[in-house]
Amino acid sequence: MSETVDLVISCGTVVSPDASYPASVAIKNGLIHAIGAAEAMPPSREILDATGLHVLPGAIDVHVHFRDPGYPQKEDFASGTAAAAFGGVTTVFDMPNTLPTVGTPEALADKHLIAAAKAYVDYGLYAVLGEDSIQHVGALIDGGIIGFKLYMGNTFGRIPSPSTGAMLEAFEVVAPTGKRISLHAETNSVMERREQRLRAAGRTEAIAHLDARPAVVAIEAVARAAILSEWTGARIHVLHISSAAELRPLAEAKARGVDITGETCPHYLLLSEKDYQKFGGVIRVNPPVREAANQLPLWTALLDGTIDIIATDHAPHAPDEKTRADIWTVDCGFPGVETQMPLMLTEINRGRATIHDYVRWSAE
Ligand code: DOR
Ligand code: ZN
């Protein structure tokens, strides 16, 4: 008689990156214990009948901002991970632009305590890689991190972007550790100058945000990061790919053998410049939602493997922080961890890609 398990999800259609097949799934101690025919399942404390349903692996969202500690009016680790669970996301990687910034072993230890006490799903924590934290790389790794986050451009939290010299040094220090560096790849100096010009000209409407951050800021940043990665051997990941034009430096780096991966988010696949009027400041996000012509190349890049991952950049703010009249005072970002899977599966249902593609992008 085989051992009793905690849960059997019975008689569904199990979906993997390669195939769909009728099967039941047995779970014990939070791990998959067996996948097979319903008759072959061990005795279980609980049975969930999935007849007529698809059974997908829980999504891994490698890019969320849960705001804890520091911004309880926006989110905390409990509300964020509850939203993840409701959205089919069973693992999240949380970004370090909380208060204080996760750039020291002390701040990391504090955040681990918060996350362990509140999380409903599995998680990993990022640490910042900036001019002030290069010295802490070893201690941060010892403290338990999923990877490093390097801000090449400014966004919520105003973490200063390192100079190219400091970035090279940081890559040299991290490369031998094998940890991956995730990049907010937008070049700060370009954006700052353009924003200043737009503000001086009196532009305050939502679309001015897009004008301040043309795709060239991302193209330049991705290309520069790929060069530094190639030089040092540091493994890198390009966060929130928003434009068709970034795909060329990404694909070229992959072809040269650079250890580089990339993600895009539902809002770059589904929204466009046409939506600024409708949403006003709510649509403000970094990088910005771009011209509709970018959408098809992003889908194509997911399908051909140039982009590896669907993530969300889940970045909630309070309503009053998103609805100010002057776009430059609106906080950047919006929620996404709970809506990624339903949005993407709706597109799968429309024939954009197969459900196996989706499982590959979201969970493999
Ligand atoms: O719009 C954004 N908001 N982009 C980011 O990169 C950060 C995020 C946030 O933390 O609010
Ligand atoms: Zn982000």
Side-chain angles (χ1 to χ4, degrees):
M1 169 96 179
S2 51
E3 55 187 317
T4 300
V5 297
D6 300 318
L7 174 68
V8 167
I9 302 169
S10 71
C11 302
T13 300
V14 169
V15 186
S16 81
D18 316 300
S20 301
Y21 47 93
S24 297
V25 182
I27 294 156
K28 188 172 169 144
N29 296 331
L31 297 175
I32 294 175
H33 182 79
I35 301 179
E39 316 82 80
M41 288 295 108
S44 176
R45 274 180 264 287
E46 192 183 347
I47 294 177
L48 188 68
D49 181 9
T51 304
L53 302 175
H54 290 88
V55 182
L56 273 65
I60 302 166
D61 192 339
V62 303
H63 188 168
V64 303
H65 298 264
F66 281 165
R67 313 302 192 197
D68 197 353
Y71 305 98
Q73 80 280 17
K74 301 180 195 285
E75 182 104 281
D76 77 352
F77 230 89
S79 68
T81 53
F86 274 105
V89 174
T90 51
T91 304
V92 291
F93 296 171
D94 188 54
M95 288 295 172
N97 59 335
T98 35
L99 259 186
T101 301
V102 182
T104 63
E106 294 75 27
L108 175 64
D110 286 346
K111 198 180 206 179
H112 268 302
L113 289 177
I114 292 168
K118 297 186 184 175
Y120 292 106
V121 301
D122 293 336
Y123 57 86
L125 302 180
Y126 280 101
V128 159
L129 189 61
E131 305 209 1
D132 302 334
S133 65
I134 298 177
Q135 54 177 320
H136 298 308
V137 161
L140 289 164
I141 292 172
D142 290 344
I145 54 168
I146 196 69
F148 288 99
K149 167 78 173 272
L150 191 147
Y151 287 89
M152 298 177 79
N154 228 314
T155 185
F156 180 75
R158 299 232 146 243
I159 292 171
S161 58
S163 68
T164 304
M167 201 171 144
L168 174 61
E169 204 174 299
F171 277 31
E172 286 170 340
V173 172
V174 173
T177 73
K179 284 286 172 196
R180 198 172 286 273
I181 304 167
S182 289
L183 298 156
H184 185 113
E186 290 190 294
T187 296
N188 209 50
S189 57
V190 178
M191 303 187 295
E192 269 186 353
R193 293 184 74 91
R194 292 184 87 96
E195 182 178 324
Q196 263 170 29
R197 253 172 36 209
L198 291 159
R199 289 177 94 138
R203 296 277 305 277
T204 58
E205 80 287 12
I207 198 90
H209 178 65
L210 174 57
D211 294 339
R213 303 170 98 106
V216 67
V217 307
I219 306 166
E220 197 274 343
V222 171
R224 182 155 47 97
I227 289 167
L228 301 184
S229 164
E230 189 168 21
W231 182 262
T232 58
R235 307 168 72 211
I236 60 172
H237 174 69
V238 182
L239 299 160
H240 43 45
I241 294 168
S242 60
S243 70
E246 268 161 277
L247 297 169
R248 186 166 71 93
L250 173 62
E252 286 174 354
K254 284 191 170 189
R256 297 198 303 274
V258 177
D259 192 340
I260 183 171
T261 53
E263 79 187 27
T264 190
C265 312
H267 45 279
Y268 302 118
L269 297 167
L270 300 172
L271 297 177
S272 75
E273 90 284 10
K274 300 187 185 87
D275 296 301
Y276 277 78
Q277 191 88 36
K278 178 162 83 191
F279 291 116
V282 172
I283 203 172
R284 188 180 194 209
V285 63
N286 299 324
V289 167
R290 299 193 181 283
E291 300 76 8
N294 291 283
Q295 290 174 349
L296 189 56
L298 293 175
W299 281 105
T300 305
L302 275 166
L303 286 164
D304 71 19
T306 304
I307 297 178
D308 304 86
I309 293 174
I310 281 288
T312 67
D313 197 8
H314 173 84
H317 299 285
D320 62 299
E321 298 165 335
K322 288 299 294 177
T323 51
R324 296 170 186 138
D326 178 347
I327 192 63
W328 309 113
T329 65
V330 171
D331 280 352
C332 297
F334 39 73
V337 73
E338 191 171 351
T339 46
Q340 178 271 113
M341 188 177 285
L343 285 169
M344 291 302 293
L345 289 180
T346 299
E347 295 305 306
I348 298 301
N349 225 9
R350 288 188 174 132
R352 279 282 192 177
T354 70
I355 198 162
H356 310 289
D357 293 323
Y358 174 70
V359 167
R360 194 173 71 247
W361 304 333
S362 64
E364 192 181 28

